[in-house]
Every structure is written in structure tokens, then in C-alpha cells.
Amino acid sequence: MPFYTDRVLNGSAVAKVIRSEVADGVKELAKKHRAPRLVVLLVGEDPASKIYVGNKTKACAEVGIDGETVELPASTPQEELLERIESLNEDDSVDGILVQLPLPEGHDVAQLQWTVSPDKDVDGLHPINAGKLWQDQDCFVPCTPAGIIEMLERREFEMAGRHAVVVGRSAIVGKPMAALLLRQNCTVTVCHSRTKSLEETCREADILVAAVGQVGLIGPNHVQAGAVVIDVGMNRLTERRQIDHYYPGDEKRRRAFEKKGSVLIGDVDFTRVLPKASAITPVPGGVGPLTIAMLMVNTLESAKRRLQRTKGD
Ligand code: GUN
């Protein structure tokens, strides 16, 4: 459908530009100090997490960040994870620490997030950073919502005064997304599983962000004509009849499904929403690459701030 192609927001292309800017910043920092260093803790065998972490490490290598993944078995006790985080906090050569989510059953996620030093919390999930975000103070911001704002700003999309509806209230996307849109002077509504009139509320949105993790959650009846639709969902279709329903006549996706046994899909019924939206992010190739690019931005920023601080001592 070539007519619509300019409506599709190419997150991969924006992410590439951001990564190249980070690469320049890394070069400059390495000349006077050293390259930034990011350590990712990957606990357990979640296959999706392994792919995400692999992509993060690849992005680090591309921009010149020293990226390291510490792989630990699902049986690793909470105490050991806490000790590892504490030792990374104290290690002066580490600029960023990230605990990949979800963690295997039995771990106290909040306790781990509280333990990461707020100065190295490149995921922006420490409550100090989360609190600062709502008070408009300088802080690390979670990468997915930060990437969405970055993309909208780079497209010079006017956000002030628009009605933004965020569907989903997670600590990693929904809540920080709402805070950032508010910071952009949007009027913000947050919807969730107990929202009574999801369809009507979404239909009032000029900017609609779907971040729930539910296939087909947002259909054409949820979307006002001309709205900007941002799809944060990352789900898998594993049945042929689903592919036929969500991507009728899409031979490329059908072949991908036949080869791999599944295809990625967001929370938005892309095929049916596309004709109504003025702009929409695809899955894959929309929000995902932006998340990783912003992790690179946060890690570089952390290294620069830490250097500034030591100079000031
Ligand atoms: N799992 C999926 N996305 C993310 C992310 O942005 N950060 C962390 N820590 N885990 C995730």
C-alpha cells in the first residue's frame, strides 16, 4: 500500500540517527577519558530477553560503548543478585547497570531496582529517578517512553495542548510515558484493565499510546481519524489463522511465519488502524529500536555526568 507508507513512523531510521550521534559522543569522551561501560544482568533463560539483551550488546559495540552481559541461572538467589549489583555500584569503571526484565519467579524486583545506584540507573526505574521524573527534575528516563518523545520531537510533532491517551500503567512504559507527555504540555489520560469505556476514551486521543501486551487490543473503533498511534506492544502470533486475520494477503509475513513458526505483532491491529491514523508505528521496526538507541544515550550521559562529578570533587 504505497499510498500510506509516509504515515508509517520508521523507528529504525530514527534510531540509526540517534546511534550515530551517540557514536560521535562516545569518541569524544574516549579521547579525554574512556569509553562508557554498561553491564546488563540477565537472569534465567527467557528466550525473548536473550534476544533483547543480544540486541543491546550489538548496539553497544556499534556505538563504541563497552557492553557486558552477565548471564546467571534462574536459580541465582536474590542475595547474590543484590551483592553483584552492590559491587557494580562500587566499581568506578561501570557507568550503567541494567537488570533485564522479566526476572524468573521468586525474585523481589523492586528490591533489586532500589539497590541499583540512581546514578547508574540507565533504565530509569529506581524510585528516585521515577520520582524526579514526575517533578520535572533532571533524571534518567525509561528508554521506551524517552524514545517515543524523541521520535515525535524529531518529526516536529506539536504535542502541546493535544489529548494523549496512554493505555497501560506499567512502571517501565505507561507511567513514565504519561509523565513525559505531561511535560510536553499534553492533556493526559491513562487507561488500564479496569477502565470502563476504553473504546470511547481512546477515540478522544490525538496521540494514542498502546502499552499493554495484548494482541488486537486497539482496533479501528478505538482511533479518531487523524490520530498518531504509537504501538509499544511486543507479542507473538503463533497460529496461522491469526496471521490471516491480522495481515490478510500479506505474503511476506506468511512466509516469515512458515519459516520461524511465529511473527511479532503489537497491541494495535495495524492493518485496520493504518487507514485512520495520520501516523503509526509498526511492529517490528517502530518503538523497539528506539528503546535500544535511548539506552545508548542514557549510558553515554551517565558516563559524562560521572566524569563531571569526579572533576568537581
Ligand atoms: N525488558 C523489556 N524491556 C526492557 C527494558 O527496557 N529494560 C529492562 N530492564 N528490561 C526490559
Side-chain angles (χ1 to χ4, degrees):
M1 279 185 275
F3 176 72
Y4 292 125
T5 49
D6 60 339
R7 296 182 187 192
V8 179
L9 297 169
N10 188 342
S12 302
V14 179
K16 196 171 167 192
V17 175
I18 297 172
R19 287 199 307 271
S20 104
E21 291 166 5
V22 172
D24 291 344
V26 167
K27 257 185 227 143
E28 211 157 289
L29 185 68
K31 262 189 243 159
K32 55 183 182 200
H33 179 49
R34 57 166 173 76
R37 183 166 172 229
L38 171 69
V39 178
V40 178
L41 293 181
L42 174 60
V43 188
E45 301 293 326
D46 183 69
S49 288
K50 282 194 170 189
I51 294 171
Y52 295 148
V53 169
N55 289 339
K56 287 171 186 176
T57 320
K58 215 168 93 189
C60 281
E62 190 194 312
V63 303
I65 289 175
D66 177 8
E68 184 192 332
T69 305
V70 179
E71 287 192 45
L72 298 161
S75 59
T76 310
Q78 176 89 1
E79 273 312 309
E80 185 183 332
L81 292 178
L82 292 171
E83 278 165 23
R84 279 183 183 267
I85 293 171
E86 273 157 11
S87 106
L88 293 168
N89 284 342
E90 280 157 28
D91 184 340
D92 216 33
S93 75
V94 175
D95 300 298
I97 304 167
L98 185 150
V99 181
Q100 184 65 24
L101 302 174
L103 285 166
E105 288 274 307
H107 289 289
D108 181 344
V109 179
Q111 190 189 30
L112 296 172
Q113 285 168 346
W114 277 80
T115 305
V116 172
S117 162
D119 296 334
K120 298 186 179 187
D121 171 36
V122 286
D123 239 354
L125 293 174
H126 191 286
I128 287 190
N129 285 317
K132 281 183 171 178
L133 178 60
W134 283 100
Q135 297 193 353
D136 288 339
Q137 291 181 36
D138 205 23
C139 61
F140 287 117
V141 177
C143 302
T144 301
I148 291 167
I149 296 291
E150 189 70 30
M151 178 177 63
L152 293 176
E153 278 187 327
R154 283 175 190 244
R155 281 185 71 106
E156 296 180 359
F157 181 79
E158 183 61 45
M159 285 178 265
R162 299 288 183 94
H163 186 190
V165 175
V166 180
V167 189
R169 53 176 156 178
S170 66
I172 196 162
V173 182
K175 287 193 185 90
M177 187 77 254
L180 288 177
L181 288 162
L182 197 56
R183 210 187 248 191
Q184 294 289 332
N185 297 309
C186 286
T187 302
V188 182
T189 302
V190 181
C191 296
H192 46 78
S193 52
R194 304 288 283 270
T195 296
K196 290 225 166 73
S197 47
L198 183 68
E199 220 175 75
E200 287 81 353
T201 310
C202 288
R203 239 185 353 247
E204 286 171 11
D206 302 307
I207 303 167
L208 179 60
V209 182
V212 170
Q214 196 177 310
V215 177
L217 176 73
I218 303 295
N221 292 341
H222 294 79
V223 178
Q224 174 183 195
V228 171
V229 180
I230 308 290
D231 192 354
V232 185
M234 195 70 92
N235 314 297
R236 268 185 194 281
L237 293 183
T238 53
E239 289 172 34
R240 168 70 193 255
R241 63 173 181 83
Q242 295 174 303
I243 318 282
D244 292 342
H245 174 75
Y246 286 108
Y247 302 110
D250 188 336
E251 279 310 315
K252 205 172 141 201
R253 234 171 273 251
R254 202 164 298 163
R255 275 196 302 275
F257 171 71
E258 258 134 41
K259 202 167 149 201
K260 295 188 188 156
S262 70
V263 295
L264 271 183
I265 189 168
D267 290 350
V268 177
D269 184 343
F270 184 88
T271 308
R272 293 170 183 88
V273 167
L274 177 64
K276 277 191 104 172
S278 65
I280 182 169
T281 59
V283 176
V287 169
L290 291 166
T291 298
I292 296 183
M294 294 314 288
L295 177 63
M296 304 297 107
V297 170
N298 282 356
T299 306
L300 172 60
E301 193 53 38
S302 177
K304 284 198 212 163
R305 283 188 206 168
R306 295 183 62 252
L307 178 63
Q308 273 298 324
R309 240 177 273 132
T310 51
K311 274 185 177 167
D313 280 348

